[in-house]
Amino acid sequence: MTDAFSLDSRLAADTHPVGDLALCSVLLMDDARFPWLILVPRRPGLSELTDLTPEEASLAFEEIRIAVRVMQALAQPDKVNVAALGNVVAQLHVHVVARFRSDPAWPGPVWGVGERKPYPPHARAALLERAAALFLAA
């Protein structure tokens, strides 16, 4: 018998739900410094991309491609970074981060740079609504 999927509490604490794709839940990282989506496959016990079945891996890659396109439309960044680290949160999740030459971490990684700056509630609500609409249209 398999365990039910549940989102890691650290991801839940730092993000807001955008919606669900076929495989992954899409979350918005609550850090206004960097437009940042996180995709989490809704399968229990995954920590590595290689834990996905070949079919799930193919679907996950397509959902990452969709998330990159959504991020490009949402933020019009100079670059979109995609990463699956899992050093702090072991649950498999993929970061899709909009990067700008003017952002405080450029050209280095966003992790460990300054302190997270939560979105103001009205800006977060507007961004979540726009992101959800872009995913629906994708």
Side-chain angles (χ1 to χ4, degrees):
M1 177 177 231
T2 60
D3 296 329
F5 170 79
S6 63
L7 184 63
D8 183 279
S9 61
R10 291 161 292 192
L11 288 175
D14 292 343
T15 64
H16 299 278
V18 174
D20 288 336
L21 300 173
L23 176 65
C24 296
S25 290
V26 181
L27 309 169
L28 174 70
M29 176 63 91
D30 195 11
D31 189 343
R33 300 172 306 151
F34 310 104
W36 187 338
L37 298 171
I38 297 177
L39 279 68
V40 183
R42 290 183 311 280
R43 301 290 188 270
L46 303 180
S47 59
E48 304 294 341
L49 286 168
T50 53
D51 293 339
L52 294 166
T53 67
E55 295 79 17
E56 290 170 337
S58 179
L59 183 55
F61 186 75
E62 184 54 32
E63 291 181 357
I64 291 165
R65 289 169 43 89
I66 292 167
V68 169
R69 289 194 303 267
V70 165
M71 184 57 75
Q72 289 168 328
L74 192 64
Q76 300 178 353
D78 296 314
K79 177 75 175 88
V80 177
N81 291 169
V82 176
L85 301 177
N87 297 343
V88 174
V89 174
Q91 182 175 50
L92 177 59
H93 61 288
V94 178
H95 301 268
V96 179
V97 186
R99 298 301 308 276
F100 301 89
R101 288 178 181 87
S102 61
D103 77 41
W106 186 270
V110 296
W111 292 275
V113 174
E115 292 189 29
R116 185 168 60 96
K117 180 182 174 189
Y119 285 100
H122 66 283
R124 181 183 65 235
L127 188 58
L128 287 167
E129 183 177 335
R130 185 151 179 255
L134 287 166
F135 274 102
L136 280 175

